[in-house]
Amino acid sequence: GDRDRIIQVLTNLLANALKFSPKNSEVVIGVSCSDGNIRFAVTDHGPGIPEGEQAKLFVPFQQVDSSDSRTKGGTGLGLAISKAIVIKHGGRIGFDTKSGAGSTFWFELPIRQTLR
């Protein structure tokens, strides 16, 4: 895999978690292995994502709050780019969220064995 691109995905998920978390709250990064995959997860304690807005998340230039009065900046490209990178690596990306209780964004990549 492309190390720099995987770091880009992790950086984007972490930046989003920090941006949408309340001040002084905890953001948790986790890594686990299962069924031949490695899973990276970033969990925040932000507002969560309303059900009606979730379909927008990985679409280029789409944001949950796209109003002129939104308080959080951004282009709406980070998650779309992250998804493209993860798919190119043979993985998948997604999220789990609960309104008012934060979100966990995760991605999984296949673990490839190298011959020596």
Side-chain angles (χ1 to χ4, degrees), residues 48-95:
I49 302 150
E51 191 171 328
E53 302 293 324
Q54 294 175 9
K56 294 179 179 180
L57 288 178
F58 295 100
V59 178
F61 302 107
Q62 294 293 310
Q63 296 180 325
V64 170
D65 179 4
S66 57
S67 69
D68 290 338
S69 62
R70 73 175 191 242
T71 58
K72 309 293 183 191
T75 62
L77 286 172
L79 289 176
I81 291 169
S82 294
K83 181 178 180 179
I85 291 168
V86 170
I87 289 172
K88 281 281 194 187
H89 282 81
R92 61 190 197 113
I93 188 169
F95 62 93

Side-chain angles (χ1 to χ4, degrees), residues 91-104:
R92 61 190 197 113
I93 188 169
F95 62 93
D96 302 302
T97 188
K98 187 173 182 183
S99 186
S103 302
T104 297

